[in-house]
Amino acid sequence: MPSLQESPASTIARLEAAADRNTGVRFVGKSVMPDGEPVFVGWAQMHDEARAAGAALQAKGLVPGDHVAVLGPTSRELMTVVRACWMAGIASMVLPLPMRMGSLESFIESTRSRIRHGDAKLVLIDDQLADFYTAIPGDPPIEPITSVLPGAPNVPLGDALEVPPHDPERLVVLQYTSGSTSEPKGVMIPDRVLSANVDAIEVAARMGPDETMVSWLPLYHDMGLIGFCALPMTKGCDLVQAAPQDFLGRPGSWMQWISDYGGTATAGPNFSWVLATRALQRMTDLDLSSLTLALSGAEPVDPRAVDAFVAEAERFGFDAGGVFPAFGMAEVAIAGTFPERGRGLVVDTVDRQVLEMQRVAKPIDITGPDELNLRARRLARLGRAVPGLEMQVVDPDTHEPVPERHVGELLLRGTSVTPGYYKRPDATSALFDGEWLCTGDLAYLVDGELVMCGRIKDVIIVGGRNVFPEDIERAVGPLDGVRAGNVIAFGVDGYKGKESVVVVAEVRPTDTSGDLDEIRSAIHERTLDICGLPPRDVMLVDPATLPKTSSGKLQRSKCREEYLAEELALAD
């Protein structure tokens, strides 16, 4: 397949070359449409506006190598400012937005710590957030995003931009991780790493010149910023861009945008495909036949959720071969392993007890769904390392390679690997074993392909078995009265230091679920089925109270802290 464009050495040169293509970004969804209608902005037009904004940043005294923090919802303005930073040789720090307004105080605290830790020389903030975040002594200057865009006072013409010379080690992105298992850290993405990973995506996903990418992913998340902003911006393919709140408010809109604009590639975490599936059950008159890359990533892929999506989407022309389960992480920019495009979901069905007791993925034949739930795990095969990366699975303690189908820690090395965390030599040292990046993920290989099992830190050791919390969470989620996707399982020290299981579930009783005691009993029995031992506690909490990261991932460690401190919002 022809490449989207020849790839110059630097991100700046790539942006300039992509601006010559007759393509661009179409903003859809109420949150990003100023007049209620979709707006198309050619890459050439955005490039001109970004050059002017880059010149405005330079006029404020910023120089190549500086960092600019950007705080705002998905918008044309935010995307233009990110491009302006890159054109001026400035690293962008796109900061997370609050998941819930009730957590505003912690949002302000975490935002300030990122801005200060990241040595931002300037904070550009959207007008909608200006009242929530104001400067205090010690903060860098805060200005509206619009103050550096064409039309604002003292913004020079784009010709005034002084394009810096290429420096492969200069940071393009300082990506703060969401903190799903630890405190947020700033992943350094220099020019060479961004370029290598974008090129790797193009080759591994067989991206063509006429691709139309569709995204509602937040630009503060690596999958949104790198996979669905940097890629189309630097390769010059068409993009349909919405905001997360427009998808979450009406999940069917995602499928509608794909149908309306002939989307060929899109992506979302597992929960988003569940929401899309529910929406498709109520929709008509869609055409999803153009969609040939439906990437599921950012959280573990649930084969049942994929099967359910395919069953609904096939009614609208979607081919099951378009399912694209992948692995990625901010520490390799975004893309780690990709399957073959067009292959669809391939699962590995293994003996649950052998996996948990011996850490060996032994294939097993299953005859029915009940046997599957109790005796087996269905795990998605996530493909091979993208070009420029190598992977191996090692014993977590000795770091000696283990054979295929033996579970160990996933290690990566190659051109897309970050040099480390910004100003965190301790965390950077812990991240690497020589030139190998230690992901902290438990995985195994089958025929050279990656299969993920879970996070090392999250594994619960119960009765000599390595129980993966995802298994409990997925088994409990479908129970009547439980909010699917809003269940957390974790381990706590029990009698004589032995670990035991706690399950925390958001609940909304229904006419058929029974009362809270009956829901609790059902969760207890389902957990017993999965673990072989009863849970120590089953805690039922109010909807929308489980701790989550800015990208929507469940925070097991934070939930455990709230449980131990008796701070859970218990349902009554």
Side-chain angles (χ1 to χ4, degrees):
M1 179 174 288
S3 65
L4 292 168
Q5 64 170 73
E6 292 301 315
S7 298
S10 72
T11 296
I12 293 173
R14 289 162 182 252
L15 291 169
E16 290 174 333
D20 291 336
R21 300 198 76 227
N22 190 28
T23 52
V25 54
R26 189 180 306 276
F27 292 96
V28 298
K30 291 183 179 179
S31 298
V32 294
M33 299 188 312
D35 300 316
E37 295 295 328
V39 175
F40 178 81
V41 182
W43 291 129
Q45 181 180 351
M46 182 173 284
H47 188 67
D48 290 343
E49 294 169 358
R51 284 182 60 90
L57 292 173
Q58 291 177 341
K60 293 178 183 296
L62 281 90
V63 297
D66 282 346
H67 307 162
V68 167
V70 187
L71 186 62
T74 300
S75 66
R76 173 179 176 175
E77 291 78 15
L78 186 144
M79 192 175 282
T80 303
V81 161
V82 168
R83 188 177 186 125
C85 288
W86 297 351
M87 286 298 299
I90 295 167
S92 66
M93 298 166 51
V94 184
L95 299 176
L97 301 180
M99 286 292 293
R100 304 178 178 119
M101 295 312 289
S103 60
L104 199 55
E105 192 172 313
S106 61
F107 157 71
I108 293 172
E109 182 182 346
S110 63
T111 299
R112 178 161 283 115
S113 68
R114 288 173 172 134
I115 288 170
R116 291 186 173 187
H117 179 266
D119 292 327
K121 294 292 179 65
L122 175 68
V123 179
L124 295 176
I125 191 167
D126 188 275
D127 291 342
Q128 297 179 47
L129 295 172
D131 291 339
F132 296 111
Y133 190 89
T134 54
I136 63 174
D139 283 351
I142 299 177
E143 297 188 20
I145 288 178
T146 52
S147 69
V148 297
L149 295 176
N154 303 316
V155 172
L157 296 176
D159 291 344
L161 177 70
E162 297 180 16
V163 177
H166 176 44
D167 179 358
E169 300 300 330
R170 187 171 58 229
L171 297 190
V172 180
V173 173
L174 187 54
Q175 178 71 44
Y176 275 86
T177 60
S178 55
S180 55
T181 56
S182 61
E183 287 301 304
K185 297 184 285 284
V187 180
M188 297 187 288
I189 307 296
D191 202 320
R192 61 174 176 80
V193 167
L194 178 64
S195 298
N197 203 240
V198 165
D199 288 348
I201 294 171
E202 178 186 7
V203 173
R206 303 208 316 270
M207 304 288 286
D210 299 321
E211 213 78 52
T212 298
M213 305 178 74
V214 179
S215 178
W216 53 266
L217 298 167
L219 295 176
Y220 55 73
H221 189 271
D222 47 6
M223 190 153 66
L225 182 63
I226 307 300
F228 282 81
C229 179
L231 175 65
M233 261 194 192
T234 58
K235 296 295 183 179
C237 63
D238 279 311
L239 171 66
V240 177
Q241 180 70 56
Q245 60 268 31
D246 289 324
F247 161 71
L248 293 170
R250 292 188 60 189
S253 299
W254 184 18
M255 300 295 107
Q256 191 68 57
W257 298 322
I258 293 168
S259 176
D260 289 348
Y261 300 106
T264 60
T266 194
N270 190 78
F271 83 84
S272 66
W273 295 104
V274 174
L275 296 178
T277 301
R278 294 175 187 166
L280 284 174
Q281 293 168 353
R282 303 184 297 271
M283 299 181 75
T284 58
D285 301 324
L286 288 178
D287 181 2
L288 301 180
S289 60
S290 62
L291 183 61
T292 57
L293 195 159
L295 189 151
S296 180
E299 61 185 36
V301 177
D302 183 356
R304 289 177 301 179
V306 173
D307 292 342
F309 173 78
V310 169
E312 292 299 328
E314 281 182 330
R315 298 191 295 118
F316 303 106
F318 177 71
D319 188 308
V323 171
F324 197 85
F327 165 75
M329 60 191 305
E331 286 81 355
V332 292
I334 180 58
T337 68
F338 277 5
E340 191 73 17
R341 186 169 183 171
R343 184 183 75 173
L345 176 69
V346 177
V347 298
D348 195 35
T349 304
V350 299
D351 187 303
R352 179 189 299 278
Q353 187 166 1
V354 174
L355 186 70
E356 292 174 351
M357 298 289 286
Q358 302 175 30
R359 289 199 172 186
V360 174
K362 178 184 177 184
I364 188 173
D365 292 324
I366 294 298
T367 57
D370 292 338
E371 189 181 13
L372 174 64
N373 286 333
L374 297 179
R375 294 191 56 211
R377 284 191 81 188
R378 290 179 74 218
L379 300 167
R381 289 172 60 154
L382 305 177
R384 302 174 186 276
V386 299
L389 282 182
E390 300 174 64
M391 63 179 173
Q392 66 171 345
V393 175
V394 302
D395 182 290
D397 297 320
T398 67
H399 275 208
E400 291 296 318
V402 298
E404 282 211 342
R405 290 199 168 276
H406 286 243
V407 176
E409 183 177 8
L410 173 66
L411 272 53
L412 299 169
R413 71 177 177 186
T415 54
S416 294
V417 171
T418 176
Y421 299 118
Y422 185 68
K423 290 191 340 188
R424 288 288 301 273
D426 55 335
T428 298
S429 177
L431 181 65
F432 287 96
D433 179 17
E435 58 187 350
W436 289 96
L437 183 150
C438 306
T439 65
D441 291 306
L442 287 173
Y444 63 90
L445 300 179
V446 178
D447 300 328
E449 285 196 51
L450 179 68
V451 181
M452 297 294 296
C453 297
R455 296 286 294 169
I456 291 174
K457 292 182 179 179
D458 292 337
V459 171
I460 309 166
I461 302 175
V462 181
R465 296 169 62 180
N466 293 276
V467 176
F468 298 96
E470 293 92 342
D471 290 351
I472 299 172
E473 293 160 359
R474 289 177 182 171
V476 169
L479 292 175
D480 200 1
V482 175
R483 298 188 70 226
N486 291 277
V487 180
I488 289 180
F490 53 83
V492 294
D493 290 337
Y495 180 64
K496 291 186 177 180
K498 293 183 178 179
E499 202 166 20
S500 54
V501 175
V502 174
V503 181
V504 184
E506 291 184 4
V507 293
R508 185 176 279 130
T510 67
D511 294 339
T512 56
S513 67
D515 59 18
L516 294 181
D517 285 339
E518 290 173 279
I519 295 173
R520 184 180 289 106
S521 177
I523 294 173
H524 184 282
E525 292 301 317
R526 184 61 60 87
T527 306
L528 177 61
D529 289 342
I530 295 298
C531 295
L533 291 171
R536 168 175 165 168
D537 264 332
V538 174
M539 312 297 288
L540 308 183
V541 299
D542 292 329
T545 60
L546 283 181
K548 295 183 178 181
T549 69
S550 57
S551 56
K553 293 181 183 178
L554 296 169
Q555 288 182 300
R556 296 190 185 96
S557 59
K558 181 74 179 298
C559 186
R560 183 177 182 274
E561 291 171 8
E562 291 182 1
Y563 165 78
L564 293 173
E566 299 183 354
E567 295 175 351
L568 294 171
L570 298 178
D572 52 27

